Amino acid sequence: MGPVIWEGVERRRDLKRIGIIAAAVLVMLAGSAASQGIGSEELELSPDIKVKQLTLNSWLYTCTAKLPEYDKPVSGNGLILVNGTSAVLIDLLWNDEQVKTVADWIAERFKAKIEYAVPTHYHQDSAGGLAAAHQLGAESWALHKTTVKLYDLGGTIPKNSFSGEKTIYCGDLKVELLYPGAGHTDDNI
């Protein structure tokens, strides 16, 4: 009789392998970006939004919001992908005003518009600006669980939902949305 391997143990090993591969890819991207002078400059779009270029087509945003249950402003991060005249927001900042500020920056700097908005989970730092993204004409995609949670909370819901995985495009750049299982929240992608 061979060794017994529990499903949870195998899953943790698989997730660990994925984490190691992802870390290696990030190290390679960071090295490539550094050689191109990318990532050295942080731009302040407003007192509560900063962006930093990660790769030729990707920018990290950091935004803050004052929430009544906390003494200090709370930060959130997300990703801006830009390719040609197309842009994708992965996470929708804290509120509509912040999404409009980022959309204006994308339009001015890249002559691009947000085509897709992807809240990665139901929390406000991920889905707070979804209504503004819709007003700007963006299609939105979220995990079906996220859509249900936002509906139950009375929030703006994504126009489209998926289970498992979904592919969208930023220009000709393929963006794969994947639900690997519960993490920060039970609906995060």
Side-chain angles (χ1 to χ4, degrees), residues 89-93 116-130 133-134 139-143 146-147 150 156-160 162 177 187-189:
L89 272 185
I90 307 291
D91 283 336
L92 284 292
L93 301 101
Y116 291 102
V118 181
T120 61
H121 61 289
Y122 74 96
H123 289 164
Q124 184 181 350
D125 63 322
S126 177
L130 191 53
H134 289 165
E139 282 295 313
S140 55
W141 280 93
L143 189 67
T146 302
T147 302
L150 288 169
T156 301
I157 61 169
K159 293 178 181 179
N160 305 284
F162 68 95
L177 310 175
D187 67 320
N188 63 258
I189 59 171

Side-chain angles (χ1 to χ4, degrees), residues 36-74:
Q36 298 173 32
I38 295 173
S40 58
E41 180 185 9
E42 184 174 78
L43 303 174
E44 185 174 298
L45 305 186
S46 67
D48 58 345
I49 305 171
K50 294 176 177 56
V51 295
K52 186 172 188 174
Q53 191 170 10
L54 299 175
T55 68
L56 184 62
N57 298 94
S58 64
W59 294 76
L60 170 71
Y61 75 74
T62 301
C63 60
T64 58
K66 182 71 174 118
L67 302 179
E69 60 270 28
Y70 298 102
D71 296 344
K72 300 178 197 175
V74 179

Side-chain angles (χ1 to χ4, degrees), residues 1-22:
M1 181 173 187
V4 175
I5 299 177
W6 293 279
E7 185 177 302
V9 172
E10 285 183 14
R11 180 174 164 81
R12 282 193 295 267
R13 285 183 186 146
D14 288 343
L15 290 175
K16 185 175 181 180
R17 280 188 215 120
I18 290 168
I20 291 169
I21 292 168

